[in-house]
Every structure is written in structure tokens, then in C-alpha cells.
Amino acid sequence: MSVDELERVSRSQVQKKEMFAGKRSVVSVGVFSFTTFLVLVPFLSSSWFGEIAGSFRLYYFFPLVALATCFLVKRNWLLMSLVVITSAINVMPLLYLFQREVQVGKGETLKVVQVNVEYCNQNRTKLVQWLKQVDPDVIAVEELSLTWDAALRKEFPGYDAFTVPQDSYYGIGLFSKRKLMNGKSFIPPAVKPIEPAIFAKIPCKNGSLNLAAVHVFAPHRPDDWRRRNMQMNAIAEAIGANTSSTILLADLNSVPWSNEMMKFRKITNLRDSRLGFGIKNTCLVKHLLWVPIDYCLVSPGIRVQKMTIGPSFGSDHLPMLLELKL
């Protein structure tokens, strides 16, 4: 091969490398731009898309770490700095969950479980075994079908029960070792068909304690998002009207750092039991991504001693177990 031919081959190889490097740079900048958009849009827009984008903040760290590594290797300090800033903005809404608040409960202990059983799930044995093992005082169940209701009443005959079972997403129930008093279902009149919330009281040493079991719409579409927000607002106002201590057990189909969830906590004056325990994912969305949308919210003065996540039992949700000091 002549010298001219070698030079042509060499130039061709260099051009191919430059073209490949250019394409990688375009892809990297494109991925960074799109990820940054997803990180920022919840701050800029209180909308259905903004909430959906903000719900998956945990997963934006994967492309951001990959991009940071790529820009670090290339010594592209400007883009590296922008990735670090975007990562910091992304993590800020999550940090409060790791900060333990001052809690003053010193009274009796109450163990509570929150679980969405998924009405079409027939795998009851594992959940029943776990419930018998942990022996909770109160169990809140969402998507409570007729068969699930019958099975739980049979397996836990010593529990008082107030249930509204349905063979759909709209079944719900409360089970309690202590007598359930003033049990009632609540449906916001402007939002139907819908799963009712359940309100009740149980006796405690200093009087009575309010209980609420709640399940709201999943915001799959903008219309569902608006209906869910109406539902959450009506339930929040009903709970916020109570002056005595309250424990709310719920699948609220909203992550703790969303605008609607922060508004809900403000109206109800209830504290998220996750505080100090971290994110605690409980729901597998579309069999792909875990999100924290199950809750135990408590009044100020109720201390959260422990919080654990129970086993998988065939539902798309995991049960939550909390030990509270009243």
C-alpha cells in the first residue's frame, strides 16, 4: 500500500472516530437535556405531567450518574457542573424524609398495618400468615373484594370490622382489635363513582382516637388526576375538621414530595410517618418502577417508633407495619 493510500485510510479512520465521538456527544447532551427537563418541570408546573415527572425522581439518578461519569472522563467541566447542579435539584425534595422530627408520644403502643391487596389477587395465605405474625391492632385494607373481606373476617374473628367490599378497585375496610365506634363511609358528592373513605374511632386510655382508611384515584390520565385532587381535598377538609388525634392509613396514589401531597398534609395537619425512616417504596407501577404511595399519617404528638415494609404477596403493593406511641 502506497503512502498516499495509508494517509487516506488514516484520515478516514480519524473522521469516523470524530463522527462517532460527535454522535456520542449529541446523545449525551440530549439525554442530559431531557433528564433536566423532567427534574425541573414539577417545580415549574402544577399539572398532571408535572406530577408524573416528579414521581420518578429516584430513577433520574441513573442517567445523571452515567452522564457525570461520561463528562468527567471527557474533562468537560461545564457539563459536569450542570449535571451536579441538576442532581442536587433532583434530590432536594426527597431530603426531608430522612430528617427525624421531634416526637412527643409517651403513652400506649398501637401497631397498625396499611395494605392494598389488589382486588383480583387471590394469594391470601402469605399476607394472612404475616399479619398473624406481626399481630397488629389495626389493619386498613384497600381494594377489598368480597372474597378478601370474607377471608379476613374468617382468619381474624377477634377483630371488629367496618368494611365496604366490592369486586373492583373501590372496596375498602378497617379491622381493629379495639371496638370501632361511629364507623361511617365518606364519598365526596362531586366525585363519583369512587371508593369511599372510612372514618371511625377506637377507644384509648385518654379517650378516643380517630381512624381513617382512604384510597384515592390513580392519576393515570389528566381527568383522573383532577378527580383525585378533588377527592383528596374533600377528604383532607373532612379530616382537618377533627380536633382529636388522628391516624390515617391510605393509598393516596401520590408521592410524599408532590404538590398535592404537601397540600393534603397541610390541610389535615398530619405528619408523614416516613420522616426519619426514608423513602420506603411500597408500590410497583406497571411492574417496572417502585414508588412510595402508601401512607400512615399521624397527628402531632403521636410518635412513630418503628416502620417496616412487609412481604410481597401477589399484590402490586407491599404492606406497611408501624408501631406508634399515642
Side-chain angles (χ1 to χ4, degrees):
M1 185 177 290
S2 67
V3 174
D4 290 341
E5 289 174 333
L6 287 173
E7 288 179 352
R8 283 197 299 271
V9 170
S10 177
R11 283 196 300 271
S12 177
Q13 289 176 342
V14 169
Q15 289 172 351
K16 287 181 179 179
K17 287 181 180 179
E18 290 176 347
M19 185 180 298
F20 181 67
K23 288 181 178 179
R24 284 195 304 178
S25 296
V26 170
V27 170
S28 297
V29 172
V31 171
F32 171 63
S33 300
F34 183 63
T35 305
T36 301
F37 169 73
L38 293 176
V39 168
L40 294 179
V41 71
F43 296 105
L44 303 174
S45 172
S46 181
S47 64
W48 170 77
F49 181 77
E51 177 163 336
I52 298 301
S55 297
F56 300 101
R57 289 191 179 279
L58 289 174
Y59 299 94
Y60 302 155
F61 287 107
F62 295 107
L64 289 171
V65 168
L67 289 166
T69 304
C70 175
F71 296 144
L72 180 63
V73 170
K74 291 182 176 181
R75 297 180 180 273
N76 190 329
W77 306 120
L78 175 59
L79 287 177
M80 175 69 182
S81 300
L82 292 175
V83 170
V84 171
I85 292 170
T86 299
S87 300
I89 294 172
N90 187 50
V91 77
M92 281 191 302
L94 314 180
L95 291 178
Y96 84 99
L97 291 172
F98 297 87
Q99 300 172 0
R100 177 81 70 170
E101 289 193 346
V102 176
Q103 300 169 335
V104 296
K106 298 179 181 179
E108 58 192 302
T109 299
L110 193 74
K111 292 170 71 174
V112 300
V113 164
Q114 150 62 27
V115 59
N116 181 324
V117 295
E118 193 174 17
Y119 76 95
C120 55
N121 171 31
Q122 300 299 315
N123 301 319
R124 289 181 279 274
T125 302
K126 192 170 185 178
L127 178 65
V128 167
Q129 290 175 344
W130 178 76
L131 287 172
K132 289 183 175 181
Q133 177 185 344
V134 300
D135 192 28
D137 299 291
V138 175
I139 308 168
V141 185
E142 292 84 47
E143 295 194 33
L144 183 71
S145 67
L146 297 172
T147 53
W148 268 102
D149 184 45
L152 291 174
R153 286 176 180 271
K154 179 181 178 181
E155 295 290 346
F156 300 96
Y159 284 66
D160 198 8
F162 185 98
T163 63
V164 187
Q166 299 184 48
D167 285 330
S168 68
Y169 298 106
Y170 302 134
I172 193 165
L174 267 176
F175 297 80
S176 172
K177 285 184 177 180
R178 307 184 188 194
K179 181 176 178 58
L180 290 171
M181 305 179 296
N182 302 331
K184 61 181 180 180
S185 60
F186 172 77
I187 299 177
V191 191
K192 293 181 180 180
I194 204 171
E195 182 169 14
I198 291 178
F199 299 149
K201 294 179 180 289
I202 56 172
C204 57
K205 289 181 180 179
N206 296 323
S208 63
L209 178 71
N210 292 317
L211 290 179
V214 174
H215 189 195
V216 300
F217 280 111
H220 297 305
R221 294 176 293 274
D223 284 346
D224 295 333
W225 176 78
R226 284 187 285 270
R227 292 176 72 193
R228 186 213 60 184
N229 293 349
M230 292 171 59
Q231 185 183 6
M232 287 182 67
N233 188 66
I235 291 170
E237 289 178 351
I239 292 172
N242 292 324
T243 56
S244 53
S245 293
T246 298
I247 297 172
L248 180 143
L249 300 162
D251 171 2
L252 293 176
N253 275 305
S254 183
V255 294
W257 51 87
S258 72
N259 292 334
E260 287 302 319
M261 196 62 225
M262 290 188 285
K263 178 182 175 183
F264 186 86
R265 291 197 305 270
K266 183 177 180 180
I267 295 173
T268 59
N269 192 33
L270 299 179
R271 188 179 72 254
D272 192 341
S273 60
R274 280 183 171 81
L275 293 179
F277 294 96
I279 294 170
K280 299 290 186 182
N281 288 317
T282 56
C283 179
L284 184 60
V285 178
K286 303 299 183 183
H287 304 287
L288 292 173
L289 303 174
W290 286 96
V291 288
I293 61 174
D294 293 272
Y295 292 89
C296 173
L297 303 181
V298 297
S299 292
I302 297 178
R303 182 178 180 182
V304 183
Q305 299 276 81
K306 295 179 182 179
M307 179 183 184
T308 55
I309 302 300
S312 175
F313 61 97
S315 172
D316 55 353
H317 288 252
L318 300 177
M320 296 172 62
L321 170 67
L322 298 106
E323 185 176 307
L324 309 174
K325 278 284 188 179
L326 306 181

